[in-house]
Amino acid sequence: MYHIIDLHFMEYKHAIASFLIESTEGPILVETGPYSTFEHLKAGLKRHRYEPEDIRHVFLSHIHFDHAGAAWTFARNDANIYLHPFGVNHMHNPDRLVASATMIYGDQMDTLWGKMERIRRENLIVCEHDQIIEIGDQTIRSLHTPGHAKHHTAWQWQDIIFTGDTAGVKIEGGPVVPPCPPPDISLEDWMNSIDIILSKKPNALVLTHYGEVQNPTIHLQELKEILYDWAYWIKEKWEGGLSNEQITPLFVRYIAKQLKDKGVSDLGIKQYEVANPSWMSVAGLVRYWKKKLA
């Protein structure tokens, strides 16, 4: 059994989660969320009778702030941080990550994400594709799943897979949508990663945004369809000469209509936007087309 810890990002329910697995060697954490939600994470651990200092093993899907921003707090207590090889240098020295994010978010940086501090290399455990990690009585398999980010890993545990962002965003029973931030979006890699997940025949997927999803095959087929729908919608606008700033409000309305047509409430639409900002997907997919068509 595993436990979902809602991190109440920006005080919204079901935007970002961490996941707790118990083992004979102590608790294991999958995803940390950003440092801005650390108090919610701490409270969630406490509800299961743990303190942050009890966490000895942390598995990160990738190094974006909303998934890995608080990892340093656990490494400071000498926890092992398991991640993709491409993420190690950035977690050891996050200066470039922080500088890049600060350029984007400006004075909202602390409110959204909080600080990220360096992690000693000896605490960063590189996991290769299809590698098995044994912790007490638990076994976790590393699945390299680029597409959303080149440093993305999904984690298979028992008959479920913690998918990070590879299986998209799905909130309150709404439709799945793809998070597409710059700079690494690759539709080709993403399709391959979805096929890798399906090849493991999981009974369920666990999404960081948000929670457990049954019927993985149906869910992932819907994700493929909406990913291509968004990508080609944005391509048409970009090729028509519109800037990112001009495309974004049009895209916000396009997504809102899609969600409303699927029965998502106005509050639900806001939750989707918090978990997966429209302007990020515009920026990421425009960058993808620029690289692909150059």
Side-chain angles (χ1 to χ4, degrees):
M1 182 179 178
Y2 72 95
H3 306 286
I4 299 176
I5 298 175
D6 190 341
L7 299 180
H8 294 275
F9 178 63
M10 301 298 290
E11 303 308 321
Y12 279 90
K13 291 173 60 180
H14 301 171
I16 304 176
S18 287
F19 308 101
L20 180 68
I21 299 170
E22 299 185 84
S23 81
T24 53
E25 283 191 13
I28 299 165
L29 196 65
V30 181
E31 309 280 56
T32 69
Y35 184 67
S36 61
T37 62
F38 185 69
E39 290 304 313
H40 289 295
L41 177 53
K42 194 173 173 181
L45 291 172
K46 200 172 192 67
R47 284 194 293 274
H48 297 287
R49 305 177 308 283
Y50 295 113
E51 299 293 336
E53 295 79 16
D54 297 322
I55 304 293
R56 313 308 303 158
H57 304 276
V58 175
F59 290 79
L60 302 177
S61 65
H62 57 302
I63 64 172
H64 292 166
F65 280 86
D66 55 333
H67 295 256
W72 64 270
T73 60
F74 298 97
R76 184 177 57 186
N77 295 318
D78 210 32
N80 289 327
I81 311 296
Y82 300 84
L83 74 170
H84 192 287
F86 292 164
V88 169
N89 288 340
H90 286 296
M91 296 302 283
H92 175 58
N93 182 0
D95 288 353
R96 287 178 60 189
L97 277 179
V98 172
S100 176
T102 301
M103 286 179 62
I104 296 171
Y105 298 105
D107 58 8
Q108 291 294 304
M109 184 70 184
D110 285 342
T111 301
L112 289 170
W113 311 122
K115 60 184 175 178
M116 180 185 278
E117 296 188 4
R118 64 192 293 118
I119 296 175
R120 297 186 302 273
R121 281 199 180 272
E122 54 265 33
N123 292 105
L124 294 166
I125 311 300
V126 170
C127 296
E128 301 300 336
H129 177 62
D130 225 20
Q131 180 177 338
I132 293 175
I133 302 98
E134 295 182 354
I135 300 172
D137 60 340
Q138 302 295 349
T139 299
I140 297 175
R141 185 187 296 271
S142 164
L143 301 173
H144 286 185
T145 46
H148 168 83
K150 65 181 181 180
H151 43 77
H152 198 289
T153 300
W155 303 102
Q156 183 177 12
W157 173 72
Q158 298 184 4
D159 61 353
I160 68 174
I161 297 177
F162 296 94
T163 59
D165 280 339
T166 298
V169 171
K170 183 179 176 72
I171 295 172
E172 303 288 8
V176 61
V177 299
C180 298
D184 297 334
I185 296 301
S186 167
L187 269 63
E188 295 79 8
D189 287 347
W190 206 328
M191 294 302 110
N192 184 59
S193 292
I194 288 173
D195 290 340
I196 287 171
I197 289 173
L198 287 171
S199 74
K200 299 301 180 181
K201 302 187 186 310
N203 284 334
L205 309 175
V206 183
L207 282 56
T208 306
H209 317 285
Y210 178 96
E212 186 168 302
V213 171
Q214 305 295 322
N215 301 314
T217 301
I218 294 172
H219 174 88
L220 291 171
Q221 181 57 42
E222 290 175 353
L223 175 60
K224 285 184 176 183
E225 291 171 3
I226 195 69
L227 180 55
Y228 276 110
D229 176 83
W230 282 16
Y232 281 93
W233 188 94
I234 287 172
K235 178 175 181 282
E236 179 185 350
K237 300 298 183 289
W238 169 65
E239 288 184 326
L242 297 185
S243 67
N244 288 13
E245 291 74 21
Q246 292 170 315
I247 295 171
T248 296
L250 301 176
F251 190 53
V252 168
R253 291 196 290 272
Y254 183 69
I255 294 172
K257 184 178 186 308
Q258 287 185 324
L259 294 175
K260 198 173 282 285
D261 287 348
K262 295 286 187 177
V264 179
S265 67
D266 289 342
L267 176 60
I269 291 170
K270 289 180 181 178
Q271 287 175 288
Y272 269 94
E273 185 67 20
V274 167
N276 186 27
S278 300
W279 68 267
M280 279 192 165
S281 289
V282 170
L285 287 166
V286 167
R287 181 181 172 87
Y288 165 78
W289 288 117
K290 284 181 177 178
K291 289 164 60 178
K292 183 175 178 64
L293 301 177

